[in-house]
Amino acid sequence: MSRRQIAQELECNFNMSGETVFAAEDIEKYLNSVKAPEHRTGFDRNLWIWEKRDQQSSYLISADVARGDGKDYSVAMVIKLETMEIVA
């Protein structure tokens, strides 16, 4: 097995084929619409908050957890269901 195959099959690393799913112009559109968070908090300032909680709104929290070997990171996103925007 090549080093790349070992990483993918045994170390659970995600390897892309080199092609993206999204068109370059779509990626550019989204990159241009990104705004800085209103607040960065937490012990390492890695909790980014774009919009304060609205008690009248519903939210969904989605997570992608790290493997635990220190080579990647966990992430959680808070999505406001009414607008489908990531708010934290």
Side-chain angles (χ1 to χ4, degrees):
M1 276 186 157
S2 72
R3 179 70 191 124
R4 181 179 169 93
Q5 290 171 319
I6 291 169
Q8 179 174 318
E9 299 301 324
L10 303 177
E11 297 174 355
C12 301
N13 288 341
F14 176 75
N15 296 323
M16 289 182 36
S17 66
E19 298 295 322
T20 62
V21 175
F22 303 102
E25 52 272 0
D26 292 335
I27 294 172
E28 187 70 26
K29 174 185 163 188
Y30 285 108
L31 287 175
N32 290 331
S33 70
V34 172
K35 64 180 183 177
E38 290 183 22
H39 307 284
R40 290 186 66 180
T41 188
F43 74 93
D44 58 358
R45 297 183 40 82
N46 273 332
L47 172 56
W48 297 9
I49 302 170
W50 283 271
E51 183 179 303
K52 291 183 179 179
R53 178 177 171 247
D54 175 6
Q55 290 188 350
Q56 305 303 314
S57 295
S58 296
Y59 297 90
L60 169 77
I61 299 175
S62 176
D64 180 5
V65 297
R67 294 187 309 257
D69 61 6
K71 294 182 180 178
D72 67 348
Y73 299 92
S74 295
V75 65
M77 294 183 291
V78 180
I79 301 168
K80 187 175 185 178
L81 292 177
E82 287 82 7
T83 61
M84 296 305 290
E85 292 177 299
I86 298 172
V87 295

Coordinates of all heavy atoms in Angstrom, one line a residue:
M1 N 0.8 -1.2 0.0 CA 0.0 0.0 0.0 C 0.9 1.2 0.0 O 1.9 1.3 0.7 CB -0.9 0.1 1.3 CG -2.1 -0.7 1.2 SD -3.0 -0.3 2.8 CE -4.6 -0.7 2.2
S2 N 0.4 2.2 -0.7 CA 1.1 3.5 -0.7 C 0.9 4.2 0.6 O -0.1 3.9 1.3 CB 0.7 4.4 -1.9 OG -0.6 4.9 -1.6
R3 N 1.7 5.3 0.9 CA 1.5 6.0 2.2 C 0.1 6.7 2.1 O -0.6 6.7 3.1 CB 2.6 7.1 2.3 CG 2.4 8.0 3.5 CD 2.7 7.2 4.8 NE 2.3 8.0 5.9 CZ 1.4 7.6 6.9 NH1 0.9 6.4 6.8 NH2 1.1 8.4 7.8
R4 N -0.4 7.1 1.0 CA -1.7 7.8 0.8 C -2.8 6.8 1.1 O -3.8 7.1 1.8 CB -1.8 8.4 -0.6 CG -3.1 9.0 -0.8 CD -3.2 9.6 -2.3 NE -4.5 10.0 -2.6 CZ -4.9 11.3 -2.5 NH1 -4.2 12.2 -2.0 NH2 -6.1 11.6 -2.9
Q5 N -2.7 5.5 0.6 CA -3.7 4.5 0.8 C -3.7 4.1 2.3 O -4.8 3.9 2.9 CB -3.4 3.3 -0.1 CG -3.6 3.5 -1.5 CD -3.1 2.4 -2.4 OE1 -2.1 1.8 -2.1 NE2 -3.9 2.0 -3.4
I6 N -2.6 4.0 2.9 CA -2.5 3.7 4.3 C -3.2 4.8 5.1 O -4.0 4.5 6.0 CB -1.1 3.5 4.8 CG1 -0.5 2.2 4.2 CG2 -1.0 3.5 6.4 CD1 1.0 2.1 4.4
A7 N -3.0 6.0 4.8 CA -3.6 7.1 5.5 C -5.1 7.1 5.4 O -5.9 7.3 6.3 CB -3.1 8.5 5.0
Q8 N -5.6 6.8 4.2 CA -7.0 6.7 3.9 C -7.7 5.5 4.6 O -8.7 5.6 5.2 CB -7.3 6.7 2.4 CG -8.8 6.7 2.1 CD -9.1 6.9 0.7 OE1 -8.5 7.7 0.0 NE2 -10.0 6.1 0.1
E9 N -7.1 4.3 4.3 CA -7.8 3.1 4.7 C -7.5 2.7 6.2 O -8.4 2.2 6.8 CB -7.3 1.9 3.9 CG -7.6 2.1 2.4 CD -9.1 2.3 2.1 OE1 -9.9 1.6 2.8 OE2 -9.4 3.1 1.2
L10 N -6.4 3.0 6.7 CA -6.0 2.6 8.1 C -6.1 3.7 9.1 O -6.4 3.5 10.3 CB -4.7 1.9 8.1 CG -4.5 0.7 7.2 CD1 -3.1 0.1 7.2 CD2 -5.6 -0.4 7.5
E11 N -5.7 4.9 8.7 CA -5.7 6.0 9.6 C -6.9 6.9 9.5 O -7.0 8.0 10.2 CB -4.4 6.9 9.4 CG -3.1 6.1 9.6 CD -1.9 6.8 9.2 OE1 -1.9 7.9 8.7 OE2 -0.8 6.2 9.5
C12 N -7.9 6.5 8.7 CA -9.1 7.2 8.6 C -9.0 8.7 8.1 O -9.8 9.6 8.5 CB -9.9 7.2 9.8 SG -10.3 5.5 10.4
N13 N -8.0 9.0 7.3 CA -7.8 10.3 6.7 C -8.7 10.4 5.4 O -8.8 9.5 4.7 CB -6.4 10.6 6.3 CG -5.5 10.8 7.6 OD1 -6.0 11.1 8.6 ND2 -4.2 10.7 7.4
F14 N -9.3 11.6 5.2 CA -10.1 11.8 4.0 C -9.1 12.3 2.9 O -8.5 13.4 3.1 CB -11.2 12.8 4.3 CG -12.0 13.2 3.1 CD1 -12.9 12.3 2.6 CD2 -11.8 14.4 2.5 CE1 -13.6 12.6 1.5 CE2 -12.5 14.7 1.3 CZ -13.5 13.8 0.9
N15 N -9.1 11.7 1.8 CA -8.2 12.1 0.7 C -9.1 12.4 -0.5 O -9.9 11.6 -0.9 CB -7.3 11.0 0.3 CG -6.3 10.6 1.4 OD1 -5.8 11.5 2.1 ND2 -6.0 9.4 1.5
M16 N -9.0 13.7 -1.0 CA -9.7 14.1 -2.1 C -9.1 13.6 -3.4 O -7.9 13.4 -3.5 CB -9.9 15.6 -2.2 CG -10.7 16.1 -1.1 SD -11.0 17.9 -1.1 CE -11.0 18.3 -2.9
S17 N -9.9 13.5 -4.4 CA -9.4 13.1 -5.7 C -8.6 14.2 -6.5 O -8.0 14.0 -7.5 CB -10.5 12.6 -6.6 OG -11.4 13.7 -6.9
G18 N -8.7 15.4 -5.9 CA -8.2 16.6 -6.6 C -9.3 17.4 -7.3 O -9.1 18.6 -7.6
E19 N -10.4 16.9 -7.5 CA -11.6 17.6 -8.0 C -12.5 18.1 -6.9 O -12.6 17.4 -5.9 CB -12.3 16.6 -9.0 CG -11.6 16.1 -10.1 CD -11.2 17.2 -11.1 OE1 -12.0 18.2 -11.3 OE2 -10.0 17.2 -11.6
T20 N -13.1 19.2 -7.1 CA -14.0 19.7 -6.1 C -15.4 19.5 -6.6 O -15.7 19.3 -7.8 CB -13.8 21.2 -5.8 OG1 -14.1 21.9 -7.1 CG2 -12.4 21.5 -5.3
V21 N -16.4 19.4 -5.6 CA -17.8 19.2 -5.9 C -18.4 20.5 -6.4 O -19.3 20.5 -7.3 CB -18.5 18.7 -4.7 CG1 -20.0 18.6 -4.9 CG2 -17.9 17.4 -4.2
F22 N -17.9 21.6 -6.0 CA -18.5 22.9 -6.3 C -17.7 23.6 -7.4 O -16.5 23.6 -7.4 CB -18.6 23.8 -5.0 CG -19.3 23.1 -3.9 CD1 -18.6 22.6 -2.8 CD2 -20.7 23.1 -3.9 CE1 -19.3 21.9 -1.8 CE2 -21.4 22.5 -2.8 CZ -20.6 21.9 -1.8
A23 N -18.5 24.4 -8.2 CA -17.8 25.2 -9.2 C -17.0 26.3 -8.6 O -17.4 26.9 -7.6 CB -18.9 25.7 -10.2
A24 N -16.0 26.7 -9.2 CA -15.1 27.8 -8.7 C -15.9 29.1 -8.5 O -15.6 29.7 -7.5 CB -13.9 28.0 -9.7
E25 N -16.8 29.4 -9.4 CA -17.5 30.7 -9.2 C -18.5 30.6 -8.0 O -18.7 31.6 -7.3 CB -18.3 31.1 -10.5 CG -19.2 30.1 -11.1 CD -18.4 29.1 -12.1 OE1 -17.2 29.3 -12.3 OE2 -19.1 28.2 -12.6
D26 N -19.0 29.4 -7.7 CA -19.8 29.3 -6.5 C -19.0 29.4 -5.2 O -19.4 30.1 -4.2 CB -20.5 27.9 -6.5 CG -21.6 27.8 -7.6 OD1 -22.1 28.9 -8.0 OD2 -21.9 26.7 -8.0
I27 N -17.8 28.8 -5.2 CA -16.9 28.9 -4.1 C -16.5 30.4 -3.9 O -16.6 30.9 -2.7 CB -15.6 28.1 -4.3 CG1 -16.0 26.6 -4.3 CG2 -14.6 28.4 -3.2 CD1 -14.9 25.7 -4.6
E28 N -16.2 31.1 -4.9 CA -15.9 32.5 -4.9 C -17.0 33.4 -4.3 O -16.8 34.2 -3.4 CB -15.5 33.1 -6.2 CG -15.0 34.5 -6.3 CD -13.6 34.6 -5.6 OE1 -12.8 33.6 -5.6 OE2 -13.3 35.7 -5.1
K29 N -18.3 33.0 -4.7 CA -19.4 33.8 -4.2 C -19.5 33.6 -2.7 O -19.8 34.6 -2.0 CB -20.7 33.2 -4.9 CG -22.0 33.7 -4.3 CD -23.2 33.0 -5.0 CE -24.4 33.2 -4.2 NZ -25.5 32.4 -4.7
Y30 N -19.4 32.4 -2.2 CA -19.5 32.2 -0.7 C -18.3 32.8 0.0 O -18.5 33.3 1.1 CB -19.6 30.7 -0.4 CG -21.0 30.2 -0.8 CD1 -21.2 29.3 -1.9 CD2 -22.1 30.5 0.0 CE1 -22.4 28.9 -2.2 CE2 -23.3 30.1 -0.3 CZ -23.5 29.3 -1.4 OH -24.8 28.8 -1.7
L31 N -17.1 32.7 -0.5 CA -16.0 33.3 0.1 C -16.1 34.8 0.3 O -15.7 35.4 1.3 CB -14.7 33.0 -0.6 CG -14.1 31.6 -0.5 CD1 -12.9 31.4 -1.4 CD2 -13.8 31.3 0.9
N32 N -16.8 35.4 -0.7 CA -17.0 36.9 -0.7 C -18.1 37.3 0.3 O -18.2 38.4 0.6 CB -17.3 37.4 -2.1 CG -16.1 37.4 -3.0 OD1 -14.9 37.5 -2.5 ND2 -16.3 37.3 -4.2
S33 N -19.0 36.3 0.7 CA -20.1 36.6 1.6 C -19.8 36.3 3.0 O -20.6 36.6 3.9 CB -21.3 35.9 1.1 OG -21.2 34.5 1.4
V34 N -18.6 35.8 3.3 CA -18.2 35.5 4.7 C -17.9 36.8 5.5 O -17.3 37.7 5.0 CB -17.0 34.6 4.7 CG1 -16.4 34.4 6.1 CG2 -17.3 33.2 4.0
K35 N -18.5 36.8 6.7 CA -18.2 38.0 7.5 C -17.5 37.5 8.8 O -17.7 36.4 9.2 CB -19.5 38.8 7.8 CG -20.5 38.0 8.6 CD -21.7 38.9 8.9 CE -22.7 38.1 9.8 NZ -23.9 38.9 10.1
A36 N -16.8 38.4 9.4 CA -16.1 38.1 10.6 C -17.1 37.9 11.8 O -18.1 38.6 11.8 CB -15.1 39.2 11.0
P37 N -16.8 37.0 12.7 CA -17.7 36.8 13.8 C -17.8 38.1 14.7 O -16.8 38.8 14.8 CB -17.1 35.7 14.6 CG -15.7 35.6 14.2 CD -15.6 36.2 12.8
E38 N -19.0 38.3 15.4 CA -19.1 39.4 16.3 C -18.3 39.2 17.6 O -17.8 40.1 18.1 CB -20.6 39.6 16.7 CG -21.5 40.1 15.6 CD -22.9 40.3 16.1 OE1 -23.1 40.4 17.3 OE2 -23.8 40.3 15.2
H39 N -18.2 37.9 18.0 CA -17.4 37.6 19.2 C -16.6 36.3 19.0 O -17.0 35.4 18.2 CB -18.4 37.3 20.4 CG -19.4 38.3 20.6 ND1 -19.1 39.5 21.3 CD2 -20.7 38.4 20.3 CE1 -20.2 40.2 21.4 NE2 -21.2 39.6 20.8
R40 N -15.4 36.3 19.6 CA -14.6 35.1 19.6 C -14.3 34.9 21.1 O -13.7 35.8 21.7 CB -13.3 35.3 18.8 CG -13.6 35.3 17.3 CD -12.3 35.4 16.5 NE -11.6 34.1 16.7 CZ -10.4 33.8 16.1 NH1 -9.9 34.7 15.3 NH2 -9.8 32.7 16.4
T41 N -14.7 33.8 21.6 CA -14.6 33.6 23.1 C -14.2 32.2 23.3 O -13.8 31.4 22.4 CB -16.0 33.9 23.7 OG1 -15.8 33.8 25.2 CG2 -17.1 33.0 23.3
G42 N -14.2 31.7 24.6 CA -13.7 30.4 24.9 C -12.3 30.5 25.4 O -11.6 31.5 25.2
F43 N -11.8 29.5 26.0 CA -10.4 29.5 26.6 C -9.4 29.7 25.5 O -8.3 30.3 25.8 CB -10.1 28.3 27.4 CG -9.9 27.0 26.6 CD1 -8.6 26.7 26.2 CD2 -11.0 26.2 26.2 CE1 -8.4 25.5 25.5 CE2 -10.8 25.1 25.5 CZ -9.5 24.7 25.1
D44 N -9.6 29.3 24.3 CA -8.7 29.5 23.2 C -9.2 30.4 22.1 O -8.7 30.5 21.0 CB -8.3 28.2 22.6 CG -9.4 27.4 22.1 OD1 -10.6 27.8 22.2 OD2 -9.2 26.2 21.6
R45 N -10.3 31.1 22.4 CA -11.0 32.0 21.4 C -11.4 31.3 20.2 O -11.5 31.9 19.1 CB -10.1 33.2 21.1 CG -9.8 34.1 22.4 CD -9.0 35.3 22.1 NE -9.2 36.1 21.0 CZ -10.2 37.0 20.8 NH1 -11.1 37.2 21.8 NH2 -10.4 37.7 19.7
N46 N -11.7 30.0 20.3 CA -12.2 29.3 19.1 C -13.7 29.1 19.1 O -14.2 28.3 18.3 CB -11.5 28.0 19.0 CG -10.2 28.1 18.2 OD1 -10.0 29.0 17.4 ND2 -9.2 27.3 18.5
L47 N -14.4 29.7 20.0 CA -15.9 29.7 19.9 C -16.2 31.1 19.2 O -16.1 32.1 19.8 CB -16.6 29.7 21.3 CG -18.1 29.9 21.3 CD1 -18.8 28.9 20.3 CD2 -18.6 29.8 22.7
W48 N -16.7 31.0 18.0 CA -17.0 32.1 17.1 C -18.5 32.3 17.1 O -19.2 31.4 16.8 CB -16.5 32.0 15.7 CG -15.0 31.8 15.6 CD1 -14.1 31.7 16.6 CD2 -14.3 31.9 14.3 NE1 -12.8 31.6 16.0 CE2 -12.9 31.7 14.7 CE3 -14.7 32.0 13.0 CZ2 -11.9 31.7 13.7 CZ3 -13.7 31.9 12.1 CH2 -12.3 31.8 12.4
I49 N -19.0 33.5 17.4 CA -20.4 33.8 17.5 C -20.7 34.9 16.5 O -20.2 36.0 16.6 CB -20.8 34.2 18.9 CG1 -20.5 33.0 19.9 CG2 -22.3 34.5 18.9 CD1 -20.7 33.4 21.3
W50 N -21.6 34.6 15.5 CA -22.0 35.6 14.6 C -23.3 36.3 15.0 O -23.5 37.5 14.6 CB -22.2 35.0 13.2 CG -20.9 34.7 12.5 CD1 -20.2 35.6 11.7 CD2 -20.1 33.5 12.6 NE1 -19.0 35.0 11.3 CE2 -18.9 33.7 11.8 CE3 -20.3 32.3 13.2 CZ2 -18.0 32.7 11.6 CZ3 -19.3 31.3 13.0 CH2 -18.2 31.6 12.2
E51 N -24.1 35.6 15.7 CA -25.4 36.2 16.1 C -25.8 35.7 17.5 O -25.7 34.5 17.8 CB -26.4 35.7 15.1 CG -27.8 36.3 15.2 CD -28.8 35.8 14.2 OE1 -28.5 36.0 13.0 OE2 -29.8 35.2 14.5
K52 N -26.2 36.6 18.3 CA -26.7 36.2 19.7 C -27.9 35.4 19.6 O -28.7 35.5 18.7 CB -26.9 37.4 20.6 CG -25.6 38.1 20.9 CD -25.8 39.3 21.8 CE -24.4 40.0 22.1 NZ -24.6 41.1 23.0
R53 N -28.1 34.5 20.6 CA -29.3 33.7 20.7 C -30.6 34.5 20.7 O -30.7 35.4 21.5 CB -29.2 32.8 21.9 CG -30.3 31.9 22.1 CD -30.1 31.0 23.3 NE -31.3 30.3 23.6 CZ -32.0 30.5 24.7 NH1 -31.6 31.3 25.6 NH2 -33.1 29.8 24.9
D54 N -31.6 34.0 20.0 CA -32.9 34.6 20.0 C -33.8 33.5 20.5 O -33.9 32.4 20.0 CB -33.3 35.0 18.5 CG -34.8 35.4 18.4 OD1 -35.4 35.6 19.5 OD2 -35.2 35.6 17.3
Q55 N -34.5 33.8 21.7 CA -35.3 32.8 22.3 C -36.5 32.4 21.5 O -37.0 31.3 21.7 CB -35.7 33.3 23.7 CG -34.6 33.4 24.7 CD -35.1 33.7 26.1 OE1 -36.2 34.0 26.3 NE2 -34.2 33.6 27.0
Q56 N -36.9 33.2 20.5 CA -38.0 32.8 19.6 C -37.6 31.9 18.5 O -38.4 31.4 17.8 CB -38.6 34.1 19.1 CG -39.0 35.1 20.1 CD -40.0 34.5 21.1 OE1 -41.0 33.8 20.8 NE2 -39.8 34.7 22.4
S57 N -36.3 31.7 18.3 CA -35.8 30.9 17.2 C -35.5 29.5 17.6 O -35.2 29.2 18.8 CB -34.5 31.5 16.6 OG -34.9 32.8 16.0
S58 N -35.4 28.6 16.6 CA -35.0 27.2 16.9 C -33.6 27.0 16.3 O -33.3 27.6 15.2 CB -36.0 26.2 16.2 OG -37.2 26.3 16.8
Y59 N -32.8 26.2 16.9 CA -31.4 26.0 16.5 C -31.1 24.5 16.3 O -31.7 23.7 17.0 CB -30.4 26.6 17.4 CG -30.6 28.1 17.5 CD1 -31.5 28.7 18.4 CD2 -29.9 28.9 16.7 CE1 -31.6 30.1 18.5 CE2 -30.1 30.3 16.7 CZ -30.9 30.9 17.7 OH -31.1 32.2 17.7
L60 N -30.2 24.2 15.5 CA -29.6 22.8 15.3 C -28.1 22.9 15.6 O -27.5 23.8 15.1 CB -29.9 22.3 13.9 CG -29.2 21.0 13.5 CD1 -29.9 19.8 14.1 CD2 -29.1 20.9 12.0
I61 N -27.6 21.9 16.4 CA -26.2 21.9 16.6 C -25.7 20.6 15.8 O -26.2 19.5 16.1 CB -25.8 21.8 18.0 CG1 -26.3 23.1 18.8 CG2 -24.3 21.6 18.2 CD1 -26.0 23.0 20.3
S62 N -24.7 20.8 15.0 CA -24.1 19.7 14.2 C -22.7 19.6 14.6 O -22.0 20.6 14.8 CB -24.3 19.9 12.7 OG -23.7 18.9 12.0
A63 N -22.1 18.3 14.7 CA -20.7 18.2 15.1 C -20.0 17.2 14.2 O -20.6 16.3 13.7 CB -20.7 17.7 16.5
D64 N -18.7 17.5 14.0 CA -17.8 16.6 13.4 C -16.7 16.4 14.3 O -15.9 17.3 14.6 CB -17.3 17.2 12.0 CG -16.3 16.3 11.3 OD1 -16.1 15.2 11.7 OD2 -15.8 16.7 10.3
V65 N -16.6 15.2 14.9 CA -15.6 15.0 16.0 C -14.3 14.5 15.5 O -14.2 13.8 14.5 CB -16.1 14.0 17.1 CG1 -17.4 14.6 17.8 CG2 -16.4 12.7 16.5
A66 N -13.2 14.9 16.2 CA -11.9 14.5 15.8 C -11.6 13.0 16.1 O -12.4 12.4 16.9 CB -10.8 15.3 16.6
R67 N -10.6 12.5 15.5 CA -10.3 11.1 15.7 C -9.7 10.8 17.1 O -9.7 9.7 17.6 CB -9.3 10.6 14.6 CG -9.8 10.6 13.3 CD -8.8 10.0 12.3 NE -7.5 10.5 12.4 CZ -7.0 11.4 11.5 NH1 -7.7 11.8 10.5 NH2 -5.8 11.9 11.7
G68 N -9.0 11.9 17.7 CA -8.4 11.7 19.0 C -6.9 11.5 18.9 O -6.3 11.3 19.9
D69 N -6.3 11.5 17.7 CA -4.9 11.3 17.6 C -4.1 12.6 17.6 O -2.9 12.6 17.4 CB -4.5 10.4 16.4 CG -5.0 11.0 15.1 OD1 -5.4 12.2 15.1 OD2 -4.8 10.3 14.1
G70 N -4.8 13.8 17.7 CA -4.2 15.1 17.6 C -3.8 15.6 16.3 O -3.2 16.6 16.1
K71 N -4.3 14.9 15.2 CA -4.0 15.3 13.9 C -5.1 16.0 13.2 O -5.0 16.5 12.1 CB -3.5 14.1 13.0 CG -2.2 13.5 13.5 CD -1.8 12.4 12.6 CE -0.5 11.8 13.1 NZ -0.1 10.6 12.3
D72 N -6.2 16.1 13.9 CA -7.4 16.9 13.3 C -8.1 17.5 14.5 O -7.7 17.3 15.7 CB -8.3 16.1 12.4 CG -9.0 15.0 13.1 OD1 -8.7 14.7 14.3 OD2 -9.9 14.4 12.5
Y73 N -9.2 18.2 14.2 CA -9.9 18.9 15.3 C -11.4 18.6 15.2 O -11.9 18.3 14.1 CB -9.7 20.4 15.1 CG -8.3 20.9 15.2 CD1 -7.5 21.0 14.1 CD2 -7.8 21.2 16.4 CE1 -6.2 21.4 14.2 CE2 -6.4 21.6 16.5 CZ -5.7 21.7 15.4 OH -4.4 22.1 15.5
S74 N -12.1 18.7 16.3 CA -13.5 18.6 16.4 C -14.1 20.0 16.0 O -13.5 21.0 16.3 CB -14.0 18.2 17.7 OG -13.6 16.9 18.0
V75 N -15.3 20.0 15.5 CA -16.0 21.2 15.2 C -17.5 21.0 15.5 O -18.0 19.9 15.3 CB -15.8 21.7 13.7 CG1 -16.4 20.7 12.8 CG2 -16.3 23.1 13.5
A76 N -18.1 22.1 16.0 CA -19.6 22.1 16.2 C -20.1 23.4 15.5 O -19.5 24.4 15.7 CB -20.0 22.0 17.6
M77 N -21.2 23.3 14.9 CA -21.8 24.4 14.2 C -23.2 24.6 14.8 O -24.0 23.6 15.0 CB -21.9 24.3 12.7 CG -20.6 24.3 12.0 SD -20.8 24.1 10.2 CE -21.4 22.5 10.1
V78 N -23.6 25.8 15.1 CA -25.0 26.1 15.5 C -25.7 26.8 14.4 O -25.2 27.8 13.8 CB -25.0 27.1 16.8 CG1 -26.4 27.4 17.2 CG2 -24.2 26.5 17.9
I79 N -26.7 26.2 13.9 CA -27.5 26.7 12.7 C -28.8 27.1 13.1 O -29.6 26.4 13.8 CB -27.6 25.5 11.7 CG1 -26.2 25.0 11.3 CG2 -28.4 26.0 10.5 CD1 -26.2 23.7 10.5
K80 N -29.2 28.4 12.7 CA -30.5 28.9 13.0 C -31.5 28.3 12.0 O -31.3 28.5 10.7 CB -30.4 30.4 12.9 CG -31.7 31.1 13.3 CD -31.5 32.6 13.3 CE -32.7 33.4 13.8 NZ -32.4 34.8 13.8
L81 N -32.4 27.6 12.4 CA -33.3 26.9 11.5 C -34.2 27.7 10.6 O -34.5 27.4 9.4 CB -34.1 25.8 12.2 CG -33.4 24.7 12.8 CD1 -34.3 23.8 13.6 CD2 -32.6 23.9 11.8
E82 N -34.6 28.9 11.1 CA -35.4 29.8 10.3 C -34.7 30.3 9.0 O -35.3 30.5 8.0 CB -36.0 30.9 11.1 CG -37.0 30.6 12.1 CD -36.4 30.0 13.4 OE1 -35.2 30.0 13.6 OE2 -37.2 29.5 14.3
T83 N -33.4 30.5 9.2 CA -32.7 31.1 8.0 C -31.6 30.2 7.5 O -31.0 30.5 6.4 CB -32.0 32.4 8.5 OG1 -31.0 32.1 9.5 CG2 -33.0 33.4 9.0
M84 N -31.4 29.0 8.2 CA -30.3 28.1 7.8 C -28.9 28.7 7.8 O -28.1 28.3 7.1 CB -30.6 27.4 6.5 CG -31.9 26.6 6.5 SD -31.9 25.3 7.8 CE -30.7 24.2 7.3
E85 N -28.7 29.7 8.6 CA -27.4 30.4 8.7 C -26.6 29.8 9.9 O -27.2 29.4 10.9 CB -27.6 31.9 9.0 CG -28.2 32.6 7.8 CD -28.4 34.1 8.2 OE1 -29.1 34.4 9.1 OE2 -27.8 34.9 7.5
I86 N -25.3 29.7 9.7 CA -24.5 29.3 10.8 C -24.3 30.5 11.7 O -23.8 31.6 11.2 CB -23.1 28.8 10.3 CG1 -23.3 27.5 9.5 CG2 -22.2 28.5 11.5 CD1 -22.1 27.1 8.8
V87 N -24.7 30.4 13.0 CA -24.7 31.6 13.9 C -23.6 31.5 14.9 O -23.3 32.4 15.6 CB -26.1 31.9 14.5 CG1 -27.1 32.3 13.4 CG2 -26.6 30.7 15.3
A88 N -23.1 30.3 15.1 CA -22.0 30.1 16.1 C -21.2 28.8 15.7 O -21.7 27.9 15.0 CB -22.5 30.0 17.5

